[in-house]
Amino acid sequence: MTDARNSRGTTKERFADLAESYLGVEGVTCPGTEPGARGFGRGGLKVGGKLFAMVSQDRLVVKLPAERVDQLVAGGDGDHFDPRKNGVAMREWFIVDPSSDLDWHALAEEARAYVGALR
């Protein structure tokens, strides 16, 4: 079932909607609110200063437990994130397939909870 928050749009539009839903959430830093941010994940969502969701390769990328990433990959909803495209995937990072019907808000919330618990 798809709700209005999960409606199709460009990746940039969908991520902007996702980021907007985190504005004002305690402990969460939204893209563009961190002066001088550079490097990996600079345009991403962070909790406690740690990245939990971002856009890369024009796709949503979230940090989840390795077992959960394996489960999502096995379900055909995306793949392990390989930022350098050199065959070295990051075990705890999942890149969502553009054709997936996964709810980005639910995935981001799952990622926020996971990363927030790692502190």
Side-chain angles (χ1 to χ4, degrees), residues 16-59:
D17 177 58
L18 178 64
E20 186 176 314
S21 72
Y22 281 100
L23 286 173
V25 174
E26 188 176 336
V28 175
T29 305
C30 295
T33 62
E34 196 174 24
R38 304 191 307 180
F40 181 74
R42 71 182 164 274
L45 290 163
K46 296 178 181 177
V47 61
K50 295 181 182 181
L51 187 64
F52 70 91
M54 65 180 173
V55 169
S56 181
Q57 303 166 17
D58 201 36
R59 294 164 64 185

Side-chain angles (χ1 to χ4, degrees), residues 9-112:
T10 68
T11 300
K12 189 175 182 176
E13 292 167 340
R14 292 178 73 190
F15 190 74
D17 177 58
L18 178 64
E20 186 176 314
S21 72
Y22 281 100
L23 286 173
V25 174
E26 188 176 336
V28 175
T29 305
C30 295
T33 62
E34 196 174 24
R38 304 191 307 180
F40 181 74
R42 71 182 164 274
L45 290 163
K46 296 178 181 177
V47 61
K50 295 181 182 181
L51 187 64
F52 70 91
M54 65 180 173
V55 169
S56 181
Q57 303 166 17
D58 201 36
R59 294 164 64 185
L60 176 66
V61 182
V62 292
K63 182 170 180 151
L64 299 167
E67 303 80 31
R68 177 69 169 132
V69 173
D70 291 343
Q71 177 187 42
L72 291 166
V73 169
D77 286 302
D79 209 342
H80 293 88
F81 180 49
D82 178 1
R84 294 183 188 94
K85 299 181 187 178
N86 65 355
V88 181
M90 300 174 79
R91 295 178 4 143
E92 292 188 322
W93 286 93
F94 176 69
I95 187 163
V96 181
D97 190 277
S99 65
S100 172
D101 287 330
L102 289 174
D103 182 324
W104 282 21
H105 289 264
L107 273 178
E109 188 54 26
E110 187 177 348
R112 185 191 66 81

